[in-house]
Amino acid sequence: MLGTNGVSTPVQSGGTVPLVTPPQGGRVIFLGVRATNVDPCAVKITGAIRDPATKQVRVDARTVNLSPSGDGYGVSVDSSISSFANVPVCPNEWASTDAFDQPSRSS
């Protein structure tokens, strides 16, 4: 995930994720990828979040080119938000609770 400081870090199970303001407004979770044994060109990544109460899901999918990380992996590029899934969380008119400080499930 890409943080508000522009640096990506791994998502931890049960951890928190930053809600970031993208250029188009609102709030999103930027979810990236670190992968090996795949062609780094034209990789389709999908990020999703589900409201545990209503079971509604919000999804963002896009095709990206991964950048070599030097250790055999291809990664989303911190300086390019277009290489991350931009999962929308705000405005939040689809969930039963506020997105801030609330548990959700992501994929």
Side-chain angles (χ1 to χ4, degrees):
M1 77 187 147
L2 187 64
T4 56
N5 61 356
V7 177
S8 59
T9 57
V11 174
Q12 301 297 323
S13 179
T16 60
V17 295
L19 302 183
V20 182
T21 304
Q24 71 269 23
R27 296 278 194 278
V28 301
I29 299 170
F30 287 120
L31 295 173
V33 65
R34 181 175 185 268
T36 189
N37 297 324
V38 298
D39 185 339
C41 297
V43 174
K44 184 173 181 179
I45 62 172
T46 303
I49 188 166
R50 179 171 43 120
D51 177 16
T54 66
K55 307 297 186 225
Q56 288 195 42
V57 176
R58 292 299 175 258
V59 176
D60 180 73
R62 58 190 58 222
T63 301
V64 303
N65 292 324
L66 301 179
S67 179
S69 63
D71 60 358
Y73 286 84
V75 296
S76 295
V77 180
D78 287 1
S79 62
S80 176
I81 61 172
S82 64
S83 70
F84 290 79
N86 295 219
V87 182
V89 291
C90 296
N92 179 6
E93 298 168 6
W94 54 274
S96 63
T97 60
D98 189 335
F100 290 98
D101 294 326
Q102 299 298 321
S104 294
R105 300 208 27 116
S106 62
S107 302

